[in-house]
Amino acid sequence: MNTLPIDDIMHAIGVQARRASARMATASTSEKALALQTLADLLRQQAPALQAENAKDVERARTGGLAEPMVDRLKLTAKVLETAAQGCEQLAKMPDIIGEIIGLRQQPSGIRVGQMRVPIGVFGMIYESRPNVTIEAASLAIKSGNAAILRGGSEAIESNKALAALVRQALAAAGLPEDGVQLVPTTDREAVGRLIAMPEYVDVIIPRGGRGLIERISAGAKVPVIKHLDGICHTYVDDPCDIAMAVTIADNAKTQKYSPCNATETLLVARGVSEAFLPEIAAIYAAKGVQMRVTPEGRPLVSRVDGAEVQDATEEDWRTEYLAPIISIKIVEGLDEAIAHINTYGSHHTDAIVTNDHRHAQRFLREVDSASVMVNASTRFADGFEYGLGAEIGISTDKFHARGPVGVEGLTSLKYVVLGDGEIRR
Amino acid sequence: MNTLPIDDIMHAIGVQARRASARMATASTSEKALALQTLADLLRQQAPALQAENAKDVERARTGGLAEPMVDRLKLTAKVLETAAQGCEQLAKMPDIIGEIIGLRQQPSGIRVGQMRVPIGVFGMIYESRPNVTIEAASLAIKSGNAAILRGGSEAIESNKALAALVRQALAAAGLPEDGVQLVPTTDREAVGRLIAMPEYVDVIIPRGGRGLIERISAGAKVPVIKHLDGICHTYVDDPCDIAMAVTIADNAKTQKYSPCNATETLLVARGVSEAFLPEIAAIYAAKGVQMRVTPEGRPLVSRVDGAEVQDATEEDWRTEYLAPIISIKIVEGLDEAIAHINTYGSHHTDAIVTNDHRHAQRFLREVDSASVMVNASTRFADGFEYGLGAEIGISTDKFHARGPVGVEGLTSLKYVVLGDGEIRR
């Protein structure tokens, strides 16, 4: 099939994406809703056919010796497909932010100046294993009026091709260009190198995967990259605070799920509440098998708990994203030390304070330099759905352009609109 | 003086900037106003001393054989200094957007989620000749709560050092860190190479100068660059339109000043109004000595005007930013062809339509892919002051992050704030 050199394939995809992007940008709200609803319908109707293609990937992965948890992530189960269909339907119903004009105000010259929200143009998405990301990315492209070029993992290629075919069908049914969302049809690694170096066709790259993938892409990209590196998130238990609330939040932030990037990895505890707080939370962590790596001052408060697995914390612990039942714990003097620790060792992802002090809360919000800063809530809330974005294409730890969970808005830009009545510059 | 290797100098500047940025970010509105007002006062009080330093640069430039218009741009005249002082005072009085929280809304989980506007952190500014840019950049840094590292042209080094010393004095007077705004003290070119490759200390680079400078910096930068490349701006005279208004706007857009990036370089004229419009505008251009480069269909309409200097337009003309008394003119079928021409040949800077047709106006605003799109106004309005931004650090032709004139807001980012009352993720 793909006998063309990679350069020619990627060039053709780029030209088609750029051409399709003009039409995608002017798609009406109802055209986009029709495409999304059709896609949802197709995902349900074609579930057996999709699963047949998916079975090929799963079979190949097993034969190839992929670990079973990884094989699981590949599977297009009935539940995965239904969730994807519902995601499309939810997006279809969300307000359309494309074309909205904000801040239109008259200037002394008489012109009225505002900003209109428009699609970025073409985004490239690079991801691994889970084939349902194909639908998430395609539906966000449709809703945001962008064209997209998708590069999924080689292990999911048959599933992705089958899903991408449905996306084309849905676009066509709504009168939108089939090339509005294209899947790179080859698993050749060179294709990624080309995709990230075509500024004439691609406006932004969104990689989703491990740190290695993201660093490789950032280093080689000739276009902006919406990056998500580590999630070294902190929960700071302030003095004064509601101890019961602090225990509930510190428990949830660490143990509700260990693998997400927004799970808390370091617990900072104000000295004044450490005696009341630490034994309580340590009992919960001990019961759940969470290993605690603690500074010397905190050890006695934690070690006295039955079954607690305790180690000394090292400098390295403050820089580590465990994604596992491990937490580092440090007793701090108070707010200043907590903020300094977070800004020094954190990854600018998500950090929370549990406090009863209004001024402490305000200072924490203002001074902690992270994409999400929280008061009296679990860091696990840092998520596009929980934030009401309707969908999430990634979480950005950059400060430039999109910061934090990236939904439809992160795939848009604001251009200036000027409405005059014959005004000229004096 | 500067006997340290460049690497050491730039490293030290970077460390100091990053350290100062934390305090700059939390500066209160009144502290920032005090710094800006003090700077304005110092510019007036110290005018003689500044001009003495400036005279050294001017003398050296003349001796070195710099062309007189370039020497003029170097001069810190009384008027230049007064304008700079007034700019600081205006910024001081503008509302402070740092810390504002937008869109705070409660989510189904109970948490309230919004976005807080915060400074980017540290910006690096690279510019040529005009020393008053030092004050523009410093005052924007103060107002936006960022730290800044400034690298002016070597021809203005004495002037820039004197101005930067006043900035330090003003910062100190307001209780802000003197290192909030630093001038690179060496004219060594290597310093630029280092400045653009310190992502640990610098968050964004803003180059101001010719295309060569900007392309060199973009190619070498390891941090985002707010780029301003060409300004190939169009005015499209639609059918139907008010011919008198079209003539006034097309005249102003081209001739009010020839050198700015927002001057119109190509005039597109709908066939239906070409006979009424072209001879009228051609008479004005002929009287002002503007050369017209016209497609064959339009030549007879233009050439019949007394004194008109007319040439055939070539493909190359559509891609050329003249910045001179030259304009290219093309007759088009109508709106579709005009939009296609602009999106193909333009530089996504600023484009205007003159029309009486509401649907045409709406389509032009939506479909022209430029940083500023205008209806019935002169392209010369694309400017931070005219847009009410209060100040302008540059104009971005990128789509990512800042687009169009960049003022205080372009030097900020939005982080998510989450206010809870003990909510946890289920």
Side-chain angles (χ1 to χ4, degrees):
Chain A
M1 289 284 282
N2 303 308
T3 51
L4 281 170
I6 297 294
D7 272 7
D8 292 349
I9 295 174
M10 295 309 294
H11 178 82
I13 288 178
V15 169
Q16 287 155 10
R18 184 60 83 201
R19 193 182 303 140
S21 73
R23 177 70 182 92
M24 294 293 283
T26 61
S28 69
T29 304
S30 58
E31 285 171 331
K32 293 188 278 195
L34 178 56
L36 289 166
Q37 185 57 57
T38 306
L39 182 53
D41 296 343
L42 287 170
L43 286 168
R44 290 183 182 115
Q45 287 161 19
Q46 302 295 318
L50 289 169
Q51 288 173 328
E53 292 304 301
N54 182 240
K56 295 181 193 168
D57 288 330
V58 171
E59 174 61 26
R60 196 179 35 187
R62 282 222 176 91
T63 315
L66 203 65
E68 204 54 29
M70 293 300 286
V71 173
D72 271 348
R73 300 182 68 193
L74 259 183
K75 286 185 192 162
L76 288 177
T77 62
K79 180 158 179 275
V80 167
L81 289 172
E82 178 57 26
T83 304
Q86 284 178 12
C88 293
E89 287 172 336
Q90 278 168 22
L91 265 182
K93 282 178 207 134
M94 278 179 64
D96 190 357
I97 61 173
I98 298 302
E100 73 171 342
I101 294 181
I102 60 178
L104 191 74
R105 273 192 286 266
Q106 193 168 40
Q107 300 300 322
S109 62
I111 59 173
R112 285 176 299 151
V113 180
Q115 288 177 294
M116 181 190 282
R117 192 170 291 286
V118 292
I120 287 262
V122 178
F123 70 85
M125 176 109 180
I126 299 164
Y127 51 104
E128 297 168 333
S129 63
R130 293 193 306 121
N132 51 321
V133 175
T134 302
I135 298 300
E136 287 175 27
S139 58
L140 271 167
I142 294 168
K143 186 72 185 186
S144 62
N146 285 287
I149 302 175
L150 310 182
R151 174 48 148 85
S154 56
E155 64 285 5
I157 185 74
E158 302 303 334
S159 316
N160 285 337
K161 282 184 178 172
L163 291 166
L166 298 190
V167 174
R168 293 181 78 88
Q169 214 178 317
L171 286 165
L176 296 174
E178 295 189 337
D179 289 335
V181 179
Q182 296 176 84
L183 180 77
V184 175
T186 161
T187 58
D188 194 316
R189 277 183 165 248
E190 263 183 59
V192 173
R194 284 296 300 149
L195 179 58
I196 64 176
M198 310 195 295
E200 62 280 32
Y201 304 129
V202 177
D203 298 297
V204 59
I205 290 286
I206 305 164
R208 244 165 86 167
R211 192 181 173 105
L213 172 81
I214 292 167
E215 285 182 340
R216 234 169 25 246
I217 284 168
S218 301
K222 301 260 180 274
V223 296
V225 177
I226 295 182
K227 281 194 274 301
H228 170 209
L229 293 171
D230 295 346
I232 302 176
C233 303
H234 301 75
T235 296
Y236 166 56
V237 178
D238 189 35
D239 176 16
C241 72
D242 178 326
I243 298 288
M245 183 195 287
V247 170
T248 308
I249 287 175
D251 174 19
N252 184 265
K254 180 71 226 177
T255 73
Q256 195 255 347
K257 221 173 177 183
Y258 296 110
S259 59
C261 54
N262 55 20
T264 286
E265 305 291 20
T266 297
L267 195 57
L268 301 170
V269 183
R271 183 163 293 123
V273 297
S274 59
E275 289 202 31
F277 171 75
L278 272 179
E280 275 204 56
I281 191 69
I284 292 174
Y285 287 157
K288 295 189 176 178
V290 177
Q291 185 193 93
M292 291 168 268
R293 302 194 180 169
V294 192
T295 48
E297 187 184 349
R299 277 203 73 151
L301 297 171
V302 167
S303 301
R304 72 166 82 129
V305 171
D306 279 351
E309 195 194 331
V310 184
Q311 285 190 8
D312 282 331
T314 67
E315 172 87 7
E316 193 51 31
D317 281 305
W318 312 133
R319 303 186 191 278
T320 303
E321 184 182 24
Y322 304 114
L323 304 176
I326 307 171
I327 193 162
S328 54
I329 301 177
K330 184 184 195 177
I331 294 183
V332 294
E333 180 59 40
L335 184 68
D336 286 328
E337 192 183 342
I339 292 174
H341 180 100
I342 294 170
N343 286 340
T344 304
Y345 295 104
S347 62
H348 311 289
H349 189 297
T350 300
D351 300 290
I353 184 174
V354 184
T355 188
N356 282 336
D357 186 303
H358 179 70
R359 287 182 61 216
H360 287 190
Q362 295 304 312
R363 278 196 54 207
F364 191 90
L365 290 177
R366 186 83 183 252
E367 296 177 30
V368 170
D369 184 25
S370 296
S372 292
V373 284
M374 304 185 167
V375 176
N376 296 341
S378 168
T379 56
R380 288 279 293 113
F381 279 115
D383 171 286
F385 291 94
E386 295 291 342
Y387 282 6
L389 306 183
E392 177 186 295
I393 203 155
I395 295 184
S396 166
T397 51
D398 274 337
K399 288 185 191 181
F400 212 66
H401 191 74
R403 197 172 185 186
V406 179
V408 173
E409 195 174 303
L411 298 171
T412 66
S413 77
L414 293 167
K415 67 181 178 188
Y416 280 99
V417 294
V418 175
L419 304 180
D421 191 26
E423 283 83 359
I424 56 173
R425 184 88 180 262
R426 304 288 171 187
Chain B
M1 292 282 283
N2 302 308
T3 50
L4 282 170
I6 297 294
D7 272 7
D8 292 348
I9 296 174
M10 295 310 293
H11 178 81
I13 289 178
V15 169
Q16 286 155 10
R18 183 60 83 201
R19 194 180 304 139
S21 73
R23 176 71 182 92
M24 295 293 284
T26 60
S28 70
T29 305
S30 58
E31 286 170 331
K32 293 187 278 195
L34 178 57
L36 289 166
Q37 185 57 57
T38 306
L39 181 53
D41 296 344
L42 286 171
L43 287 168
R44 289 181 183 118
Q45 288 161 17
Q46 303 295 316
L50 288 169
Q51 289 173 327
E53 292 304 302
N54 182 239
K56 296 181 192 168
D57 288 331
V58 171
E59 174 60 25
R60 195 179 39 195
R62 282 222 177 91
T63 315
L66 202 66
E68 204 53 30
M70 292 300 286
V71 174
D72 271 349
R73 300 182 68 195
L74 260 183
K75 286 185 192 162
L76 288 177
T77 62
K79 180 157 179 276
V80 167
L81 288 172
E82 177 57 27
T83 303
Q86 285 177 11
C88 293
E89 287 173 336
Q90 278 169 23
L91 264 182
K93 283 177 206 132
M94 279 180 64
D96 189 357
I97 61 173
I98 298 302
E100 72 171 342
I101 293 181
I102 60 178
L104 192 74
R105 273 193 284 268
Q106 193 169 39
Q107 300 300 322
S109 62
I111 59 174
R112 285 176 299 150
V113 180
Q115 288 177 294
M116 181 190 281
R117 191 170 293 286
V118 291
I120 287 262
V122 178
F123 71 86
M125 176 111 180
I126 298 163
Y127 51 104
E128 297 167 336
S129 62
R130 293 192 307 119
N132 51 322
V133 174
T134 302
I135 298 300
E136 287 175 28
S139 58
L140 271 167
I142 294 168
K143 185 72 184 185
S144 62
N146 285 287
I149 302 174
L150 311 181
R151 174 46 148 89
S154 54
E155 65 284 6
I157 185 74
E158 302 303 334
S159 315
N160 286 337
K161 282 183 180 172
L163 291 166
L166 298 190
V167 174
R168 293 180 78 88
Q169 214 178 314
L171 286 165
L176 296 174
E178 296 190 338
D179 289 333
V181 178
Q182 296 175 86
L183 179 77
V184 175
T186 162
T187 58
D188 193 313
R189 277 181 166 250
E190 262 183 60
V192 173
R194 283 296 299 152
L195 179 57
I196 65 176
M198 309 195 295
E200 63 280 31
Y201 304 128
V202 177
D203 298 297
V204 59
I205 290 286
I206 305 165
R208 246 164 86 166
R211 192 182 173 103
L213 172 80
I214 291 167
E215 284 181 341
R216 233 169 25 246
I217 283 168
S218 301
K222 301 262 181 273
V223 297
V225 177
I226 294 183
K227 279 192 275 300
H228 171 209
L229 293 171
D230 296 347
I232 302 177
C233 303
H234 301 77
T235 296
Y236 166 55
V237 178
D238 189 36
D239 176 17
C241 73
D242 177 327
I243 298 289
M245 182 195 288
V247 170
T248 307
I249 287 176
D251 173 19
N252 184 265
K254 180 72 227 178
T255 73
Q256 194 253 348
K257 219 172 178 183
Y258 297 110
S259 59
C261 55
N262 56 19
T264 285
E265 305 291 17
T266 297
L267 196 56
L268 301 170
V269 184
R271 183 162 293 121
V273 297
S274 60
E275 289 202 31
F277 170 76
L278 272 179
E280 274 204 58
I281 190 69
I284 292 174
Y285 287 158
K288 294 190 176 179
V290 176
Q291 186 193 90
M292 291 168 269
R293 302 194 181 170
V294 192
T295 47
E297 187 184 349
R299 278 204 72 151
L301 297 171
V302 166
S303 301
R304 72 165 82 129
V305 171
D306 280 352
E309 196 195 330
V310 183
Q311 284 190 10
D312 283 330
T314 65
E315 171 85 7
E316 192 51 30
D317 282 305
W318 313 133
R319 304 186 190 280
T320 302
E321 184 182 23
Y322 305 115
L323 304 176
I326 307 172
I327 193 163
S328 55
I329 301 177
K330 183 184 195 176
I331 293 184
V332 294
E333 181 57 40
L335 183 68
D336 286 329
E337 191 182 344
I339 293 174
H341 180 100
I342 293 169
N343 286 341
T344 304
Y345 295 104
S347 63
H348 311 289
H349 189 297
T350 300
D351 301 288
I353 184 174
V354 184
T355 188
N356 282 337
D357 186 302
H358 178 70
R359 287 183 60 215
H360 287 189
Q362 295 304 313
R363 278 195 54 206
F364 191 89
L365 289 177
R366 185 81 184 251
E367 295 177 30
V368 170
D369 184 25
S370 296
S372 291
V373 285
M374 304 185 167
V375 176
N376 295 341
S378 167
T379 55
R380 287 280 292 112
F381 278 116
D383 172 284
F385 291 95
E386 294 291 343
Y387 283 6
L389 306 184
E392 177 185 295
I393 203 155
I395 295 183
S396 165
T397 52
D398 274 337
K399 287 186 192 179
F400 212 65
H401 191 73
R403 196 172 185 187
V406 179
V408 173
E409 193 174 305
L411 297 172
T412 66
S413 77
L414 292 168
K415 68 180 178 189
Y416 280 98
V417 294
V418 175
L419 304 181
D421 192 26
E423 284 82 359
I424 57 171
R425 185 89 179 262
R426 303 288 170 187

